[in-house]
Amino acid sequence: MQSAPWTAVRLVVALALWLVAITPVMYAQQADGGGLQFVADNVATASAAARLAPLAPQLVGGLDGSESGRTVALPAGFSASQVAVGLQNPRFMAFDDAGNLLVADAKAGKVYRYGAGAGSITASDQPPAALVSGLEAPSNVALHDGYLYIGETRTISRYAYTAGGGVGQREAVVQNLPRGGHSTRTVVFGPDGRMYVSVGSSCNICDETDERRAAILRFAPDGFFLGYERFAYGLRNAVGLTVQPGTGLLWATVNERDNQGNETPPDLVTIVGQGQNFGWPGCQPPDARPQEPGRDCAGITPPTVGLQAHGAPLGRAFYTGQQFPAEYANDLFVVQHGSWNREPPAEPKLVRLHVDGALPTSALDFATGWQTADGNRWGRPAGVIVAPDGSLIVSDDQAGSLYRIAYTG
């Protein structure tokens, strides 16, 4: 049995950690500007691009500099090239301090590390030797305080990591996450030093019995101390998480419910604050319309931005580089994976949310062309990250490729 002094010490430490944890979140809730900023479907984002930054088709460069035979459309001055092929299902990525790129390949059950090279990474016609293997559908990687964290379906694992070096022994810092339904588990670390993990729903529309579902959970970095906290909920599948530089605001890309019509409801790109309920399954965004009569939709948090229904936003990255023109600074790039059941299909693409201060003011297409006019696709972008040189690296989980989008003027 623990002594009273030791119990008191544990309580003091717990209280101190709790206060540290909530301080940035309280700031975030005050700074989020309050409420829905706008809703923009594919017609609106295409129209905005035509007015502000028209897209022109161009051939994607191959690994050796030759043409790959594929075409994407980009604003004037931008180019796209392949930097890696031969992957199975590359999803989200992270750069280490030495400029190496870590890539989670869900189907392979592996994390790969691509070495730094001229421009961004060294081009490769096959994946390098796996840095970590034997994983359960890894969809996400994060680096924090000397560790590599990997989001697996049932587990958040971590490995001691040095940039360019090997990895330590596996530690399962979060175990027994629910299986079935949405399987990705995205990990990000907030300015409070805590670990945020998204867990999607088990279904399209249902009342969950496990409160961890359709939620963002918050943990200590080792996963154990104080257990977990349900940070926010009513988020059907918050696939992507990121922290906005300079503000500490937590943002999520959210895949909303299916089978409600081609244009209903919008998918979400939204700021997320502590204790907020975004309405799933009982209330539809963006205005918390009851899913069925009798549902109580009072107190539902409106999203920050609504995008094309069933467009499936996944990867996201605030532009922190210096390579792109000045008007791109701090803008948010969002990958739309494309629909699976919409008719006609919503296309895979990259959308740029122009940010003024802390909040987005417009949305426009930035990269399109993975889907042909007849609805067939030669690729589906999934993740996006800003490279050390200021270019963008985009993962394609259908073609098994990585692309580099650069500005050459």
Side-chain angles (χ1 to χ4, degrees), residues 131-209:
L131 182 68
V132 184
S133 60
L135 301 167
E136 182 187 16
S139 58
N140 170 251
V141 288
L143 293 165
H144 177 73
D145 199 22
Y147 285 95
L148 165 64
Y149 288 78
I150 301 173
E152 304 178 62
T153 297
R154 296 263 297 173
T155 307
I156 307 302
S157 54
R158 75 175 183 180
Y159 303 77
Y161 180 80
T162 302
V167 296
Q169 294 296 312
R170 182 177 190 265
E171 296 180 58
V173 295
V174 177
Q175 301 182 59
N176 300 317
L177 290 170
R179 178 180 286 161
H182 294 108
S183 61
T184 59
R185 305 290 179 257
T186 304
V187 182
V188 71
F189 285 85
D192 54 6
R194 304 292 291 279
M195 179 171 63
Y196 294 78
V197 177
S198 62
V199 179
S201 68
S202 66
C203 60
N204 181 36
I205 303 173
C206 66
D207 291 309
E208 300 281 7
T209 58

Side-chain angles (χ1 to χ4, degrees), residues 40 52 62 108-109 114 147 206 258-259 283 292 307 315 319 321 331 350 400:
L52 302 173
Y114 287 85
Y147 285 95
C206 66
D258 296 315
N259 304 318
C283 310
E292 56 192 26
L307 290 180
Y319 189 70
D331 284 358
L350 269 69

Side-chain angles (χ1 to χ4, degrees), residues 25 56 61 144 152 243 278 299 304 317 357 407:
V25 176
H144 177 73
E152 304 178 62
V243 175
F278 287 84
T304 308
Y407 183 74

Side-chain angles (χ1 to χ4, degrees), residues 22-374:
I22 67 169
T23 300
V25 176
M26 290 170 63
Y27 163 71
Q29 289 177 314
Q30 293 167 359
D32 68 9
L36 179 71
Q37 302 301 302
F38 59 85
V39 176
D41 62 11
N42 279 351
V43 172
T45 58
S47 175
R51 294 194 317 270
L52 302 173
L55 308 185
Q58 57 177 280
L59 288 167
V60 177
L63 293 173
D64 59 0
S66 62
E67 295 176 352
S68 69
R70 301 297 189 181
T71 300
V72 297
L74 292 162
F78 288 89
S79 64
S81 59
Q82 290 180 324
V83 288
V85 296
L87 293 156
Q88 291 188 47
N89 188 230
R91 299 285 286 191
F92 294 170
M93 304 163 284
F95 276 99
D96 69 18
D97 291 339
N100 304 301
L101 180 65
L102 306 177
V103 181
D105 190 321
K107 284 186 179 178
K110 298 176 179 179
V111 170
Y112 297 107
R113 181 171 60 198
Y114 287 85
S120 56
I121 63 172
T122 301
S124 176
D125 61 359
Q126 60 184 355
L131 182 68
V132 184
S133 60
L135 301 167
E136 182 187 16
S139 58
N140 170 251
V141 288
L143 293 165
H144 177 73
D145 199 22
Y147 285 95
L148 165 64
Y149 288 78
I150 301 173
E152 304 178 62
T153 297
R154 296 263 297 173
T155 307
I156 307 302
S157 54
R158 75 175 183 180
Y159 303 77
Y161 180 80
T162 302
V167 296
Q169 294 296 312
R170 182 177 190 265
E171 296 180 58
V173 295
V174 177
Q175 301 182 59
N176 300 317
L177 290 170
R179 178 180 286 161
H182 294 108
S183 61
T184 59
R185 305 290 179 257
T186 304
V187 182
V188 71
F189 285 85
D192 54 6
R194 304 292 291 279
M195 179 171 63
Y196 294 78
V197 177
S198 62
V199 179
S201 68
S202 66
C203 60
N204 181 36
I205 303 173
C206 66
D207 291 309
E208 300 281 7
T209 58
D210 187 334
E211 72 164 12
R212 297 174 298 173
R213 285 288 197 177
I216 296 172
L217 311 178
R218 184 163 66 173
F219 299 84
D222 66 5
F224 295 113
F225 190 69
L226 299 181
Y228 79 87
E229 169 190 6
R230 188 169 70 156
F231 181 75
Y233 59 104
L235 298 153
R236 178 175 173 269
N237 191 20
V239 187
L241 301 178
T242 194
V243 175
Q244 185 176 18
T247 69
L249 295 170
L250 179 65
W251 287 70
T253 54
V254 183
N255 291 191
E256 254 292 337
R257 67 206 77 192
D258 296 315
N259 304 318
Q260 306 299 296
N262 273 351
E263 309 304 331
T264 305
D267 284 336
L268 313 180
V269 182
T270 188
I271 297 167
V272 180
Q274 185 175 18
Q276 292 179 338
N277 175 9
F278 287 84
W280 183 90
C283 310
Q284 287 195 16
D287 55 358
R289 179 173 63 85
Q291 177 70 35
E292 56 192 26
R295 283 283 191 169
D296 181 7
C297 292
I300 299 300
T301 300
T304 308
V305 172
L307 290 180
Q308 175 63 53
H310 319 302
L314 301 183
R316 60 286 156 264
F318 283 97
Y319 189 70
T320 55
Q322 302 295 317
Q323 184 188 106
F324 290 9
E327 59 266 27
Y328 285 80
N330 304 314
D331 284 358
L332 179 61
F333 288 98
V334 176
V335 175
Q336 289 185 254
H337 199 228
S339 65
W340 69 272
N341 68 339
R342 185 180 186 273
E343 292 296 338
E347 66 175 317
K349 60 181 178 178
L350 269 69
V351 171
R352 171 190 166 201
L353 300 186
H354 180 60
V355 176
D356 184 4
L359 295 170
T361 58
S362 63
L364 63 162
D365 288 352
F366 176 74
T368 65
W370 284 273
Q371 180 172 295
T372 57
D374 59 5

